[in-house]
Amino acid sequence: METSCECALIDSGSGFVAASCLQFSGTKVDMTQTYELAIKMGSGSSPTITQTISAITVHPNYDSSTLLNNLAVVQFGDQSDIGWQNYIGIDPSEWSDLYFIRRSLENVPSLTWNNVIAYSSTDTPDKCLNSSAAYAANPDDFLCNYAATLSIMNQDCKVPYGTVFAAIQPSDIATVALHSHSAVYGDSMCSQETKLHYYTLLRNYLAWAATVINRSIGGFALNSSYSFTPDSSYAMKSASSGTVSGVDVFY
């Protein structure tokens, strides 16, 4: 069951998506499917553009059973003419607040958007550690909280947000994470049981993504002397088990 298929844009020709949002044929992405991306820059009457995804590269250590390294890089548009670059936050000590964002289309053919839904929180519940084996092995690679919003498909269900942005004082905002998976104490995302939602931090994957798209990626820190050099072969630590007793995992 998919709960989030948003894209964290890298630049005008590429972005991160959760690998679990893709269709696979065996161990490879099924490229007979057509994948499209709708992009609306700004708000109000600013236009929406659609792009057909031309290339998809799944992280080489993505594990569909544990949802470790649940990321893929998608490419679209003219790769020789990159018009703008987005910035990915790299220094968590500067993140004064976190904004969990849900953007969705109300009508796909007309490219009509629902209102943006946002939730602000920096809290990490204690239960996060015991509810996901992936998180327990890699707590510094995820954000986690209870926050959820009503599904646009079923108003009886609450689903996680899609993308996370960090507020960096005094006036900057940077993309920092993308929804990976949800741990549900029950058998349905629509149940009233406890649910925790996990978001993959993007900072450690910037060097890998740069090798995929063959150009630099903007990592943002307000402190110009902050040093962060991610490894292009970075991968999360192995989890002892893909599941936790009494918990179902949804993505």
Side-chain angles (χ1 to χ4, degrees):
M1 174 181 175
E2 293 178 353
T3 58
S4 177
C5 283
E6 294 191 26
C7 178
L9 293 171
I10 295 171
D11 55 30
S12 61
S14 63
F16 287 105
V17 299
S20 57
C21 282
L22 305 169
Q23 296 292 321
F24 284 78
S25 177
T27 59
K28 297 184 181 298
V29 176
D30 182 2
M31 293 303 290
T32 64
Q33 304 288 329
T34 299
Y35 297 95
E36 291 186 317
L37 182 66
I39 304 173
K40 181 179 175 67
M41 305 299 292
S43 58
S45 60
S46 58
T48 295
I49 61 170
T50 58
Q51 296 276 13
T52 298
I53 292 171
S54 56
I56 300 174
T57 305
V58 176
H59 191 277
N61 294 96
Y62 167 59
D63 187 327
S64 60
S65 62
T66 62
L67 296 172
L68 294 170
N69 310 295
N70 186 10
L71 287 174
V73 171
V74 297
Q75 294 173 265
F76 47 87
D78 186 351
Q79 295 296 299
S80 66
D81 184 22
I82 301 303
W84 49 263
Q85 187 176 60
N86 192 26
Y87 286 92
I88 311 294
I90 59 173
D91 183 3
S93 69
E94 295 181 340
W95 303 346
S96 58
D97 206 349
L98 295 171
Y99 296 98
F100 295 78
I101 305 295
R102 162 70 66 176
R103 300 187 73 186
S104 60
L105 287 169
E106 179 184 17
N107 185 289
V108 173
S110 67
L111 296 177
T112 305
W113 293 83
N114 290 301
N115 291 329
V116 176
I117 302 172
Y119 176 83
S120 169
S121 175
T122 56
D123 294 335
T124 301
D126 292 340
K127 204 173 183 68
C128 288
L129 194 63
N130 299 321
S131 302
S132 166
Y135 180 86
N138 302 275
D140 294 331
D141 280 302
F142 292 99
L143 300 173
C144 170
N145 64 25
Y146 291 117
T149 183
L150 290 177
S151 167
I152 62 171
M153 304 300 293
N154 183 344
Q155 293 293 295
D156 292 327
C157 292
K158 285 191 173 182
V159 297
Y161 293 84
T163 313
V164 188
F165 294 81
I168 303 171
Q169 298 300 328
S171 59
D172 292 298
I173 294 285
T175 311
V176 297
L178 192 64
H179 178 256
S180 171
H181 61 283
S182 298
V184 178
Y185 284 81
D187 58 3
S188 168
M189 187 64 77
C190 298
S191 72
Q192 299 302 309
E193 306 299 328
T194 299
K195 307 178 189 71
L196 293 117
H197 308 295
Y198 298 86
Y199 303 81
T200 305
L201 287 168
L202 302 175
R203 63 195 293 268
N204 284 323
Y205 296 93
L206 298 188
W208 164 69
T211 65
V212 172
I213 65 176
N214 197 30
R215 54 181 177 270
S216 62
I217 295 178
F220 179 77
L222 193 63
N223 181 359
S224 60
S225 64
Y226 178 74
S227 177
F228 178 70
T229 53
D231 187 339
S232 61
S233 61
Y234 181 81
M236 293 182 189
K237 298 174 185 176
S238 297
S240 59
S241 171
T243 60
V244 174
S245 178
V247 175
D248 272 349
V249 176
F250 293 83
Y251 51 84

